[in-house]
Amino acid sequence: MIVLGGLAWTAFAQQKAPKWMEKQKKAVVSITTYKADGTTLHNGTGFFIAEDGKLLSAYSLFKGADKAVVTDTNGKTYPVSRV
């Protein structure tokens, strides 16, 4: 019974979330880095800080990586051009 009440409260709280929250969710991205042989090195997250594609993330994700891609909330991937 308590679990159901908690789930109901969570659903209610999400409905009452501020309008800016939806916009902020779109800024969060998934980052995947790869070794030279194409295998995955690291997975992590970051977020866009500018409309031109600049984003912030932990440098440790990119250390030793040969290439990296960013995946947005719509599932579209973009290559990382520089770190």
Side-chain angles (χ1 to χ4, degrees), residues 34-66:
Y34 299 92
K35 298 177 188 177
D37 65 3
T39 59
T40 301
L41 181 62
H42 296 291
N43 288 307
T45 58
F47 56 93
F48 288 113
I49 59 169
E51 291 184 18
D52 64 356
K54 289 180 185 151
L55 62 91
L56 284 177
S57 183
Y59 177 73
S60 60
L61 289 174
F62 300 94
K63 193 172 183 180
D66 189 61

Side-chain angles (χ1 to χ4, degrees), residues 2-72:
I2 294 173
V3 173
L4 292 176
L7 292 174
W9 174 254
T10 301
F12 176 74
Q14 288 177 349
Q15 290 176 355
K16 297 296 249 176
K19 291 179 183 179
W20 58 264
M21 191 177 291
E22 284 303 314
K23 185 176 180 183
Q24 299 304 319
K25 286 181 189 177
K26 293 177 184 177
V28 178
V29 295
S30 173
I31 301 168
T32 306
T33 58
Y34 299 92
K35 298 177 188 177
D37 65 3
T39 59
T40 301
L41 181 62
H42 296 291
N43 288 307
T45 58
F47 56 93
F48 288 113
I49 59 169
E51 291 184 18
D52 64 356
K54 289 180 185 151
L55 62 91
L56 284 177
S57 183
Y59 177 73
S60 60
L61 289 174
F62 300 94
K63 193 172 183 180
D66 189 61
K67 79 173 200 172
V69 295
V70 172
T71 306
D72 67 14

